Amino acid sequence: MTSRREQIMQAAVTAVSGVTGAGLDGHIPVDRDPVAPAPRDANWLIVIEWQRETVDPLTNDECECTLQVQMSVMMRTGLLGDDERAALDTAMSAAHRALMLDRTLGGLCQDILRRAAGRNTQHADAVVNEISHGYEIVYRHSAGDLETL
């Protein structure tokens, strides 16, 4: 069995896997910790990655953890003309809504809290606009077992 952290990350990916983007037939692909660049034909991409985790031991042989996660929605420019920024913002709003629909991710965590947001433009083979939101996911596990409470 995987750790509670990995179960939470899998549930977060599943939660946003149905988000659609303007000018796209189907759903926006979701990736975790991409080690390779997105495929050249990928016009949209959602990336969810965990960045840091803090742990506070509790008195009842449990640990309370705060998992810092970043979710980014990316869109290749040149697809929608003047509507691109609005389309990117709409896709991020949909991804946020999907993630926050069940703030316990099926009982795996206590809460999900939205934190800082940012915007970036990447210049490589193509220009890609990106909106990122930071989240803190609060959960608990047994002090002696990373898989269970």
Side-chain angles (χ1 to χ4, degrees), residues 68-94:
Q68 294 178 357
V69 173
Q70 180 170 304
M71 179 168 64
S72 301
V73 176
M74 298 176 228
M75 183 184 85
R76 184 184 305 264
T77 61
L79 299 175
L80 303 170
D82 293 339
D83 295 333
E84 288 179 353
R85 293 196 192 281
L88 184 61
D89 186 69
T90 299
M92 175 51 92
S93 294

Side-chain angles (χ1 to χ4, degrees), residues 18 26 37 46 50 63 73 78 81-82 95-96 98 106 113 118 121 136-137 142 145:
I46 296 174
W50 75 273
C63 294
V73 176
D82 293 339
H96 171 78
L113 308 166
T121 301
E136 289 183 350
I137 301 176
S142 169
D145 185 353

Side-chain angles (χ1 to χ4, degrees), residues 10 15 20 23 29 44 52 57 59 64 69 83 86 94 100 111 117 143:
Q10 290 174 7
T20 60
W44 287 91
R52 185 170 180 252
T59 58
E64 182 167 282
V69 173
D83 295 333
M100 301 299 272
D111 203 1

